[in-house]
Amino acid sequence: MLASKTPVSLHHRIVAAGQRRRCVGGSERKPQDRHFTQPLESLWRYSPRIPPLPAAAATGRDAKSTWQPPVLENAAFEEYYKVQQIVHKEEWDAFMSVLRTPLPATFRINACCQFYKDICSKLENDFRRYLESEVSSEYGEDAIRPLPWYPGNLAWHLNFSRKELRKNQALESFHEFLKHESEVGNITRQEAVSMVPPLFLNVQPDHHILDKAYKDTCKPQGLEFDRILCDVPCSGDGTIRKGHEMWRKWNSGMGNQLHLLQVNIAMRGIALLKVGERMVYSTCSMNPVENEAVVAELLRRSGNSVELLDVSSELPELVRRPGLSTWKVQDRGSWFQTHDDVPHDRKNLVLPSMFPSSNGTEESHTVRGDVEVNIDNRSSFLRNCNIEETSKINHDTDGLSINSNKKLDCTSNILNSKFPLHRCMRIVPHDQNSGAFFIAVLHKLSPLNGCQIQGTKIQHPHAKGIIVQPQKEHEPETRLYETILTRQQNNVSKVVDAAEVLGRQQNLSIDNQTSNDNSTEVEMVFNDVESSRAESGDMKLQKQSRWKGVDPVLVFKDEVVIKSIISFFGIKESFPVQGHLVTRSTDNARRIYYVSKSVKKILELNGEVGEQLKIVSLGIKMFESHRSKDCFSCAYRLSYEGLSLLLPYVSKRILYASPLDFHRLLQYRSINFAHFVDARFGEEAASLMPGCCVVVLLEGHKHVDSICKDPSTIAIVCWRGKGTMNVMVSPPDRKDLLERMAYRFGLKACTEED
């Protein structure tokens, strides 16, 4: 997908939502049966207790149904990873012991949310102290703590699993807090290791980022990216602590079946990467066939165009281990060191690229400078040290890394990769009480040539009848990255081509200088349909979408309506409206969405090539139609979702309320003009023409001329009725704002009766 330019400010956000994966700890988007109405301070101190189940009810259950603990054993799993030597022999018991324990819950605060500082303060000063005093005997003194390697203390580790978080009554209120903050988008509940890859992207504010897509690289490059996160589908055995099914169904063939798909997805990523920029390849698998073997094949195919970066100096608090340089391949219970050892009838399924020393592709990768490396892959880095300083030794003429204390035995049957795979990173569960993960950071030095690109279309030539099912979860986010682009076609899993239709039409120069690109999102499914041209020139989108079950994307061109909106709200000329408004309705557009300049260009190209991109959702909801007969001059009202983006450009229909009146509006939702505490505010509201308006919280000594330009300003959408001012904010958002008011100003939250 094309993702946001920066974790803090979501610019030019385009999300490819083909097969959305929900992250570990992903929020439970279920309607809440009740809303906590006491202040946040008392939310976790005085939560009601659930009474124990009556004895009669317990004994009345079916006596024959007895629960059995899950079997956390798999002999094939243990044999496989013992042979691969992914950890020291003396660490094995500790490694397996941790795998059999529940995965601790983790979450991160979204720095792009308006109230992230309040949430950080609340966690540090209130929840952390309370939980340490209440559950320290059960979960330790650091029952909740920030992850040391995540910037800004924005990610938190809990010493209890998601299940314990749900079941333990002492944690009930904290659980409710997490669910609420997740529902309104302030936090993302995600496995700790899944937070790592984006941090190695080193994203800058002007970057455009791709998360898994590819193109037919026989065509000229047009759509290129500054950063690419290539988080590929994998066997997912690194997530074995999350669920018990993996213990039962794991087999070594899971990784073998995905290897070529992973290679080709990553090669497409490299082809789309700008020269001089970086791509992060990652999996939640421990299998070297899905990890180091894939990276080695990328380096073989890319030649001198791509290098594997040493990033051991980045995120120094993150405990990681170097990648493996040697491994074996297992097929149907048999082990093979080289492709020559594979039986003839299996050579088309067990591929040369799966092995450490493959001659399947020309190995022309050059390692620059002296490489200081310990190739003993059984060595573990219990703290993050500089991998390049573990031993002082140069590569030989073949680029083979050798431990300074171990002479290479040419007669040995142990073959090592000729690439600096020690620069890859392995995260193992017992180092920091997490899941397992693999990460490699690649840097593009020069364009790929045709030979390097040719033949890398995403498909598995031997996968007939095989359905690949990615096991990794990955939740949607307000966030930096999302999902993988795959679909099942003729019982073969393939990532389908679509970026080619954009790249070959014109050289898309993505403008990143528009200040209005924040928080704009497009979700799309890429499809490998044959190219068909529509009329060129202005975007001509069909009245009916070519995709069954998906509404079309239509440029909103009703000039009368657009002018009425601009006039009614006094939208300044500096805010680009023309051509940036789209709708999904073929008639009587109920909702109007705003898209950035970059997304607008992609939509235009998509129209020119006959809607090759299947667009699921896009933009940010900016205006909604209303049916009120009180407001004839403008048929649309503002949407709270897009208010923060539009507010600096609105010059009319703005009221400024004191904290007390602002709080009362949120608390009671509808207030008569005469019932405001500030009589002057009531008079101003009464004098306003009926219709939609904005009420801004006037804090401290802020001047009204500058307050709307301040990104920290709190404002809500309201409706000026005949005799009342009515709040037009969803219950979850209203509750969120009330809790911020209670925290900032000590104002009482509303009760259930209110």
mmCIF file of all heavy atoms in Angstrom, residues 19-32:
data_model
loop_
_atom_site.group_PDB
_atom_site.id
_atom_site.type_symbol
_atom_site.label_atom_id
_atom_site.label_comp_id
_atom_site.label_asym_id
_atom_site.label_seq_id
_atom_site.Cartn_x
_atom_site.Cartn_y
_atom_site.Cartn_z
ATOM 1 N N GLN A 19 -6.114 -7.526 1.229
ATOM 2 C CA GLN A 19 -6.307 -8.565 2.231
ATOM 3 C C GLN A 19 -5.852 -7.998 3.549
ATOM 4 O O GLN A 19 -4.729 -8.132 3.953
ATOM 5 C CB GLN A 19 -5.459 -9.794 1.851
ATOM 6 C CG GLN A 19 -5.582 -10.908 2.854
ATOM 7 C CD GLN A 19 -4.758 -12.085 2.403
ATOM 8 O OE1 GLN A 19 -4.594 -12.329 1.243
ATOM 9 N NE2 GLN A 19 -4.230 -12.806 3.353
ATOM 10 N N ARG A 20 -6.724 -7.253 4.194
ATOM 11 C CA ARG A 20 -6.365 -6.529 5.400
ATOM 12 C C ARG A 20 -6.074 -7.479 6.528
ATOM 13 O O ARG A 20 -6.788 -8.410 6.770
ATOM 14 C CB ARG A 20 -7.519 -5.611 5.805
ATOM 15 C CG ARG A 20 -7.217 -4.812 7.048
ATOM 16 C CD ARG A 20 -8.284 -3.765 7.218
ATOM 17 N NE ARG A 20 -8.194 -2.826 6.117
ATOM 18 C CZ ARG A 20 -8.118 -1.544 6.309
ATOM 19 N NH1 ARG A 20 -8.099 -1.037 7.492
ATOM 20 N NH2 ARG A 20 -8.053 -0.741 5.278
ATOM 21 N N ARG A 21 -4.955 -7.207 7.225
ATOM 22 C CA ARG A 21 -4.583 -8.051 8.343
ATOM 23 C C ARG A 21 -4.730 -7.273 9.622
ATOM 24 O O ARG A 21 -4.304 -6.143 9.721
ATOM 25 C CB ARG A 21 -3.132 -8.519 8.184
ATOM 26 C CG ARG A 21 -2.949 -9.425 7.002
ATOM 27 C CD ARG A 21 -1.505 -9.799 6.883
ATOM 28 N NE ARG A 21 -0.705 -8.602 6.684
ATOM 29 C CZ ARG A 21 0.608 -8.576 6.822
ATOM 30 N NH1 ARG A 21 1.250 -9.650 7.178
ATOM 31 N NH2 ARG A 21 1.279 -7.477 6.625
ATOM 32 N N ARG A 22 -5.292 -7.905 10.621
ATOM 33 C CA ARG A 22 -5.526 -7.253 11.907
ATOM 34 C C ARG A 22 -4.365 -7.551 12.817
ATOM 35 O O ARG A 22 -3.955 -8.673 12.980
ATOM 36 C CB ARG A 22 -6.818 -7.775 12.535
ATOM 37 C CG ARG A 22 -7.171 -7.080 13.821
ATOM 38 C CD ARG A 22 -8.532 -7.562 14.283
ATOM 39 N NE ARG A 22 -8.580 -9.014 14.351
ATOM 40 C CZ ARG A 22 -8.175 -9.690 15.416
ATOM 41 N NH1 ARG A 22 -7.708 -9.067 16.466
ATOM 42 N NH2 ARG A 22 -8.238 -11.000 15.440
ATOM 43 N N CYS A 23 -3.770 -6.492 13.389
ATOM 44 C CA CYS A 23 -2.575 -6.656 14.193
ATOM 45 C C CYS A 23 -2.879 -7.316 15.522
ATOM 46 O O CYS A 23 -3.984 -7.295 16.010
ATOM 47 C CB CYS A 23 -1.920 -5.313 14.482
ATOM 48 S SG CYS A 23 -0.585 -4.965 13.373
ATOM 49 N N VAL A 24 -1.817 -7.847 16.092
ATOM 50 C CA VAL A 24 -1.924 -8.393 17.432
ATOM 51 C C VAL A 24 -2.335 -7.281 18.356
ATOM 52 O O VAL A 24 -1.788 -6.193 18.327
ATOM 53 C CB VAL A 24 -0.558 -8.924 17.882
ATOM 54 C CG1 VAL A 24 -0.661 -9.478 19.283
ATOM 55 C CG2 VAL A 24 -0.072 -9.978 16.925
ATOM 56 N N GLY A 25 -3.296 -7.549 19.180
ATOM 57 C CA GLY A 25 -3.772 -6.510 20.074
ATOM 58 C C GLY A 25 -4.671 -5.521 19.382
ATOM 59 O O GLY A 25 -4.941 -4.449 19.898
ATOM 60 N N GLY A 26 -5.097 -5.848 18.154
ATOM 61 C CA GLY A 26 -5.977 -4.942 17.433
ATOM 62 C C GLY A 26 -7.245 -4.668 18.214
ATOM 63 O O GLY A 26 -7.757 -5.508 18.921
ATOM 64 N N SER A 27 -7.740 -3.468 18.067
ATOM 65 C CA SER A 27 -8.883 -3.073 18.876
ATOM 66 C C SER A 27 -10.109 -3.887 18.531
ATOM 67 O O SER A 27 -10.315 -4.281 17.397
ATOM 68 C CB SER A 27 -9.180 -1.595 18.664
ATOM 69 O OG SER A 27 -9.478 -1.368 17.317
ATOM 70 N N GLU A 28 -10.937 -4.101 19.525
ATOM 71 C CA GLU A 28 -12.182 -4.819 19.324
ATOM 72 C C GLU A 28 -13.261 -3.805 18.990
ATOM 73 O O GLU A 28 -13.764 -3.109 19.853
ATOM 74 C CB GLU A 28 -12.552 -5.596 20.582
ATOM 75 C CG GLU A 28 -11.494 -6.632 20.966
ATOM 76 C CD GLU A 28 -11.818 -7.294 22.278
ATOM 77 O OE1 GLU A 28 -12.749 -6.826 22.953
ATOM 78 O OE2 GLU A 28 -11.144 -8.259 22.627
ATOM 79 N N ARG A 29 -13.608 -3.719 17.714
ATOM 80 C CA ARG A 29 -14.560 -2.699 17.273
ATOM 81 C C ARG A 29 -15.983 -3.173 17.463
ATOM 82 O O ARG A 29 -16.720 -3.376 16.524
ATOM 83 C CB ARG A 29 -14.296 -2.371 15.817
ATOM 84 C CG ARG A 29 -12.844 -1.993 15.551
ATOM 85 C CD ARG A 29 -12.583 -0.587 15.972
ATOM 86 N NE ARG A 29 -11.197 -0.210 15.706
ATOM 87 C CZ ARG A 29 -10.752 1.000 15.780
ATOM 88 N NH1 ARG A 29 -11.563 1.972 16.135
ATOM 89 N NH2 ARG A 29 -9.491 1.281 15.541
ATOM 90 N N LYS A 30 -16.353 -3.435 18.663
ATOM 91 C CA LYS A 30 -17.703 -3.880 18.945
ATOM 92 C C LYS A 30 -18.460 -2.762 19.650
ATOM 93 O O LYS A 30 -17.896 -2.014 20.430
ATOM 94 C CB LYS A 30 -17.686 -5.119 19.836
ATOM 95 C CG LYS A 30 -16.972 -6.306 19.188
ATOM 96 C CD LYS A 30 -16.958 -7.484 20.137
ATOM 97 C CE LYS A 30 -16.258 -8.674 19.524
ATOM 98 N NZ LYS A 30 -16.193 -9.816 20.440
ATOM 99 N N PRO A 31 -19.729 -2.659 19.396
ATOM 100 C CA PRO A 31 -20.516 -1.647 20.112
ATOM 101 C C PRO A 31 -20.442 -1.895 21.603
ATOM 102 O O PRO A 31 -20.539 -3.016 22.071
ATOM 103 C CB PRO A 31 -21.932 -1.866 19.572
ATOM 104 C CG PRO A 31 -21.754 -2.602 18.292
ATOM 105 C CD PRO A 31 -20.524 -3.437 18.460
ATOM 106 N N GLN A 32 -20.237 -0.824 22.342
ATOM 107 C CA GLN A 32 -20.134 -0.965 23.787
ATOM 108 C C GLN A 32 -21.525 -0.994 24.404
ATOM 109 O O GLN A 32 -22.412 -0.233 24.035
ATOM 110 C CB GLN A 32 -19.329 0.208 24.373
ATOM 111 C CG GLN A 32 -17.940 0.315 23.770
ATOM 112 C CD GLN A 32 -17.141 -0.949 23.990
ATOM 113 O OE1 GLN A 32 -17.096 -1.455 25.110
ATOM 114 N NE2 GLN A 32 -16.534 -1.471 22.954
#
